[in-house]
């Protein structure tokens, strides 16, 4: 039986979205809603960051909504660690300070996929986000469109996958609907189970201060959106405790003038996955 190439890639696309948004990693899961234990976790995380980052981000013990839909960082957060001045190589910074709270409507990336035992592919990934009511409550509407072309195939066989997802104010997925079109015909047009984002209400675990990103050094990069001579390279490891030895390395190129990564590389040697995202535009 031949593998369902398009179906496999579509599923992996959702997993990539979760990885990029920082839903998994070396950090403890979000638990509690303001308990003494949760507050102690925040204190410990802040103490650890004091050693590595100066100045230290200042936030209340628990991070409450509204969260920025692009980073899931509280809108009230004011970054104090600037990316305009590179830290020392090996220093670690938080997600909140690295990305801040950008105000965007859309972003678009060119991406390239290498998956073991499958042909290489490339395409375009476009994300649009708006705030609206859903099921009677405020929500974030995320529309993610992927255009995917398998190398060696004609454009008529390219897949366009459109995922409509709704999240609550804490970043937990409420619902998801997927449409897949190939050569003008729907291959899928149905609801899918929401992805478990493992996000609590509110965040009292210190995840906002998580030490996820390690500065590697200044690394100029050219992508479809332009040349970024001041780009800085950061890495983050995602570890799946359910599978000993399974580790995904994410590499980001950050430019001080751009509110999102200009380039992202996701490498999982154990699973034979290599994905590259290059910024095409934003607005």
């Amino acid at each position: 039986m031949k593998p369902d190439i398009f179906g496999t890639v579509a599923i992996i696309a959702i997993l990539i979205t979760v990885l990029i948004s920082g839903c998994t990693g070396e950090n403890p899961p979000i638990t509690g809603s303001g308990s003494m234990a949760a507050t102690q976790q925040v204190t410990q995380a802040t103490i650890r960051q004091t050693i590595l980052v100066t100045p230290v981000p200042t936030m209340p013990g628990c991070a409450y909504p509204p969260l920025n839909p692009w980073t899931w960082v509280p809108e009230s957060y004011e970054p104090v660690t600037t990316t305009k001045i590179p830290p020392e190589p090996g220093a670690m910074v938080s997600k909140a300070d690295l990305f801040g709270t950008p105000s965007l409507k859309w972003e678009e990336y060119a991406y390239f996929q290498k998956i073991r035992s499958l042909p290489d592919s490339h395409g375009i990934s476009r994300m649009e986000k708006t705030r609206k009511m859903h099921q009677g409550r405020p929500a974030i509407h995320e529309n993610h469109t992927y255009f995917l072309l398998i190398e060696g195939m004609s454009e008529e066989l390219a897949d366009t996958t459109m995922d409509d997802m709704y999240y609550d104010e804490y970043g937990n997925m409420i619902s998801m609907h997927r449409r897949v079109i190939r050569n003008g015909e729907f291959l899928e047009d149905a609801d899918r189970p929401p992805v478990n984002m493992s996000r609590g209400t509110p965040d009292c675990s210190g995840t906002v201060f998580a030490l996820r990103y390690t500065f590697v050094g200044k690394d100029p990069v050219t992508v479809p959106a332009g040349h970024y001579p001041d780009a800085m390279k950061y890495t983050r490891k995602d570890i799946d405790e359910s599978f000993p030895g399974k580790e995904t390395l994410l590499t980001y190129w950050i430019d001080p003038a751009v509110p999102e990564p200009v380039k992202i590389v996701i490498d999982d040697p154990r699973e034979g996955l290599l994905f590259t995202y290059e910024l095409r535009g934003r607005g």
Side-chain angles (χ1 to χ4, degrees):
M1 180 180 295
K2 293 183 179 179
D4 182 355
I5 294 175
F6 295 99
T8 300
V9 172
I11 292 172
I12 291 174
I14 278 290
L15 297 177
I16 293 172
T17 301
V18 173
L19 279 172
I20 293 176
S21 66
C23 302
T24 60
E26 301 168 318
N27 313 283
I30 296 174
T31 57
S33 57
S35 66
M36 180 63 70
T39 302
Q40 289 174 349
Q41 289 179 11
V42 174
T43 302
Q44 293 170 0
T46 306
I47 291 173
R48 288 197 299 271
Q49 196 166 34
T50 302
I51 300 173
L52 298 172
V53 178
T54 303
V56 180
T58 55
M59 277 286 290
C62 298
Y64 289 88
L67 304 184
N68 183 280
W70 292 94
T71 61
W72 307 115
V73 171
E75 290 282 7
S76 59
Y77 185 84
E78 295 183 3
V80 293
T81 302
T82 177
T83 57
K84 294 182 180 180
I85 302 175
E88 292 294 324
M92 304 180 79
V93 301
S94 71
K95 179 178 184 178
D97 283 290
L98 194 59
F99 298 113
T101 54
S103 177
L104 296 172
K105 294 182 179 179
W106 63 273
E107 65 180 16
E108 190 171 281
Y109 286 85
Y111 70 94
F112 309 88
Q113 297 183 167
K114 290 182 178 294
I115 303 174
R116 183 184 299 149
S117 76
L118 293 177
D120 293 347
S121 59
H122 66 275
I124 295 173
S125 171
R126 181 182 176 90
M127 184 80 77
E128 299 176 3
K129 295 190 180 185
T130 56
R131 296 184 185 274
K132 59 176 61 176
M133 297 296 292
H134 181 65
Q135 298 181 359
R137 55 176 167 163
I140 296 168
H141 178 214
E142 181 177 295
N143 181 277
H144 199 169
T145 302
Y146 316 86
F147 173 78
L148 179 68
L149 180 63
I150 306 295
E151 288 191 10
M153 294 186 177
S154 64
E155 289 199 8
E156 289 76 14
L157 295 177
D159 269 13
T160 299
T161 301
M162 293 169 284
D163 287 334
D164 277 304
M165 297 166 282
Y166 287 87
Y167 298 85
D168 66 16
E169 57 186 354
Y170 297 98
N172 298 298
M173 187 181 289
I174 303 171
S175 66
M176 174 180 174
H177 186 90
R178 170 166 288 177
R179 291 172 291 165
V180 181
I181 302 174
R182 186 189 305 165
N183 199 20
E185 297 183 359
F186 279 96
L187 301 183
E188 181 178 352
D189 187 5
D191 291 330
R192 286 204 168 199
V195 177
N196 181 12
M197 310 301 282
S198 299
R199 291 186 172 124
T201 55
D203 172 12
C204 298
S205 68
T207 301
V208 170
F209 302 107
L211 306 178
R212 290 183 172 175
Y213 303 88
T214 302
F215 178 66
V216 177
K218 191 172 180 179
D219 188 19
V221 65
T222 299
V223 295
H227 179 63
Y228 296 91
D230 298 320
M232 290 174 282
K233 188 176 180 180
Y234 290 81
T235 61
R236 190 186 96 225
K237 290 181 180 180
D238 276 297
I239 300 173
D240 190 339
E241 296 180 356
S242 303
F243 299 92
K246 178 174 170 53
E247 187 174 280
T248 302
L249 178 66
L250 293 90
T251 305
Y252 300 80
W253 282 258
I254 309 294
D255 185 90
V258 182
E260 68 274 291
V262 296
K263 182 177 178 179
I264 305 168
V265 173
I266 303 172
D267 187 13
D268 186 342
R270 176 167 174 162
E271 297 295 330
L273 306 176
L274 180 65
F275 304 93
T276 302
Y277 283 71
E278 298 181 346
L279 185 67
R280 284 169 49 96
R282 69 186 192 280

